[in-house]
Amino acid sequence: MSMQKDYIKMVVVLTAIATVCGFLLAAVKDFTAARIEQQILVNVKGPAVLRVLDTSTNDLFADRREITVEDRKYVVFVGKKEDKIWAAAFESSGGGFGGDIGVMVGFNLETDQLAGIGILTHQETPGLGARVTETSFTDRFKGKPITTVFKVKKDGGEIDALSGATNSSRGVCEAIDKTIKLYPAIKKQVLEN
Amino acid sequence: MATSKTLTHEFFKGFWEVLPPFRLVLGLCPTLAVTTMAENGIGMGLATTFVLVFSNIIIASIKSIIPKKVRIASYIMVIATFVVIVELMMKAYFYSISEKLGIFIPLIVVNCIILGRAEAFASKNPIYLSAADGLGIGLGYTMSLFLISSIREILGTGMFFGMSVMWDGFEPFSFMVKAPGAFICLGILLATINRIANK
């Protein structure tokens, strides 16, 4: 009987601790969520957007808006040259080798070409897949028309993969491909407002 | 020992008597991995201190209801909770340093100093002594990480807190900021401190 009581006590105590910890973490996560999002916006997305739409003359940061496409919200950064909208950038992700690769993709709305891309987040292998963040790779996408098949050559596309990092290159292509599909709807809404 | 259990003693022992990582040779993973810059050393030390103080307080206050057989699981749950809290807080308020420390923040969970203090101290002592113990050991650890990271940053890059401090034409020993430099630096400091302690 006493052994049974011991077991019950163990289960009760562990459950109680886990419950309290769970609630506490949920509360802290809730409390910090907005602030963390803001930090990522300033520290990760901001610099990427500035690189991607580097010829803009407006405050890219202030001129961002939320656009809803098929019930999903996208934060779109709008680039202007002398008050004329010329570009828009938004993010997407694709599955790389070590996890999702977040990519900021900028579009030139006048020519329907990629204005540039920037890698936001990744967990690729340093020295191999992690080279997708280097400009030698990201520049391969600059100026490509949106009709380009964004797949690596091995998969029948038009993009040179990084040697030794095919999967990481695929992830980036996948992310861009997703943005291409959203592009017409987002372009329309950006130019309308 | 039993007679010297005062608040001040429990607090100050962390600065010399059981100074981690030199006197208690625990918590070496962050000591070696993140101490390339003084800023990182302090950040890591303070994050660890926060977890140590709060896990010690909580464990000391619930120790009487925890069955002996599941005590380690309970301690780890408490510790892990505070580690996640510290991780989220750093991301929210000190983003750049949390990026630099990266995976080593979640890895505070497995820092033996914390479970060590929970098991060796907080589970046997009242709350206020456990808090003093956690704070003293944590600050001692911060001090040690600051010492190692300062040496490595100054010798390895010629900078201190990102500012140039060495004379013109100083050639940095770049190996000091790499892994072997960490081992050598820690080894020399350990030997020196053992030498002083054994006198």
Side-chain angles (χ1 to χ4, degrees):
Chain A
M1 192 57 205
S2 93
M3 211 163 97
Q4 248 174 7
K5 230 174 148 184
D6 274 358
Y7 279 116
I8 291 167
K9 196 184 172 198
M10 278 183 227
V11 171
V12 170
V13 169
L14 278 178
T15 313
I17 294 176
T19 313
V20 172
C21 289
F23 273 109
L24 190 61
L25 286 183
V28 173
K29 175 128 189 149
D30 219 42
F31 175 71
T32 53
R35 179 85 208 182
I36 290 176
E37 202 168 312
Q38 178 67 20
Q39 291 277 19
I40 291 173
L41 201 63
V42 174
N43 291 294
V44 185
K45 293 181 187 171
V49 172
L50 286 184
R51 272 201 309 279
V52 169
L53 306 180
D54 53 359
T55 53
S56 303
T57 52
N58 61 325
D59 183 354
L60 288 163
F61 223 64
D63 286 336
R64 61 171 202 274
R65 46 180 98 159
E66 275 194 353
I67 288 180
T68 313
V69 179
E70 285 163 12
D71 295 335
R72 273 200 63 186
K73 274 187 185 150
Y74 298 89
V75 177
V76 178
F77 295 86
V78 177
K80 291 180 188 168
K81 274 181 194 160
E82 281 132 25
D83 285 342
K84 199 174 166 298
I85 294 175
W86 76 282
F90 53 101
E91 61 167 309
S92 175
S93 66
F97 183 71
D100 274 356
I101 304 176
V103 186
M104 179 64 72
V105 186
F107 290 92
N108 185 329
L109 301 175
E110 290 162 351
T111 59
D112 287 341
Q113 289 174 335
L114 292 195
I117 68 160
I119 308 297
L120 299 172
T121 50
H122 73 89
Q123 290 113 44
E124 303 306 292
T125 321
L128 283 171
R131 283 184 299 142
V132 294
T133 58
E134 293 173 7
T135 45
S136 63
F137 181 72
T138 53
D139 279 352
R140 292 178 194 183
F141 297 91
K142 225 176 202 163
K144 288 254 195 270
I146 58 161
T147 48
T148 311
V149 181
F150 286 103
K151 277 185 181 169
V152 297
K153 283 191 172 150
K154 220 186 237 173
D155 301 339
E158 297 175 40
I159 305 298
D160 280 317
L162 278 173
S163 55
T166 311
N167 275 320
S168 313
S169 309
R170 261 185 203 138
V172 175
C173 288
E174 187 194 328
I176 295 172
D177 200 48
K178 282 185 198 163
T179 61
I180 299 276
K181 288 185 181 120
L182 294 163
Y183 173 67
I186 286 183
K187 178 184 178 181
K188 200 168 144 244
Q189 293 196 45
V190 167
L191 293 178
E192 265 171 12
N193 304 315
Chain B
M1 275 297 278
T3 51
S4 60
K5 264 188 187 163
T6 62
L7 204 56
T8 44
H9 172 258
E10 297 310 336
F11 178 70
F12 284 110
K13 71 176 192 272
F15 293 92
W16 180 251
E17 205 183 298
V18 289
L19 175 71
F22 300 120
R23 306 296 302 279
L24 295 174
V25 188
L26 288 177
L28 290 179
C29 172
T31 307
L32 294 167
V34 301
T35 54
T36 51
M37 287 162 64
E39 197 190 348
N40 293 1
I42 292 181
M44 189 68 201
L46 292 180
T48 311
T49 305
F50 173 89
V51 176
L52 250 175
V53 171
F54 284 96
S55 64
N56 262 10
I57 291 174
I58 298 298
I59 287 163
S61 47
I62 61 172
K63 59 179 185 281
S64 57
I65 61 156
I66 297 177
K68 235 188 160 46
K69 280 180 189 158
V70 292
R71 67 183 194 286
I72 300 291
S74 310
Y75 299 164
I76 284 291
M77 247 191 302
V78 173
I79 294 167
T81 305
F82 284 109
V83 170
V84 178
I85 290 176
V86 107
E87 192 191 355
L88 289 170
M89 287 295 185
M90 284 183 86
K91 264 209 182 120
Y93 297 97
F94 307 98
Y95 190 84
S96 67
I97 190 148
S98 88
E99 278 294 282
K100 280 191 206 136
L101 296 176
I103 184 70
F104 292 100
I105 294 288
L107 281 180
I108 295 174
V109 176
V110 289
N111 190 325
C112 294
I113 297 173
I114 298 169
L115 187 61
R117 291 331 285 174
E119 171 77 357
F121 197 90
S123 62
K124 301 181 186 111
N125 288 286
I127 298 169
Y128 70 103
L129 286 182
S130 302
D133 174 82
L135 191 63
I137 298 238
L139 292 179
Y141 189 53
T142 309
M143 199 173 76
S144 306
L145 291 188
F146 175 63
L147 178 67
I148 299 176
S149 54
S150 304
I151 295 173
R152 288 182 66 198
E153 187 179 4
I154 292 171
L155 293 180
T157 65
M159 315 237 262
F160 189 49
F161 284 104
M163 286 193 296
S164 207
V165 287
M166 299 303 260
W167 59 92
D168 281 344
F170 168 75
E171 195 66 50
F173 308 99
S174 59
F175 107 103
M176 281 306 284
V177 288
K178 303 215 171 79
F183 279 102
I184 288 169
C185 185
L186 178 67
I188 292 172
L189 284 173
L190 253 171
T192 314
I193 284 175
N194 275 341
R195 171 91 200 201
I196 300 168
N198 291 339
K199 258 189 182 157

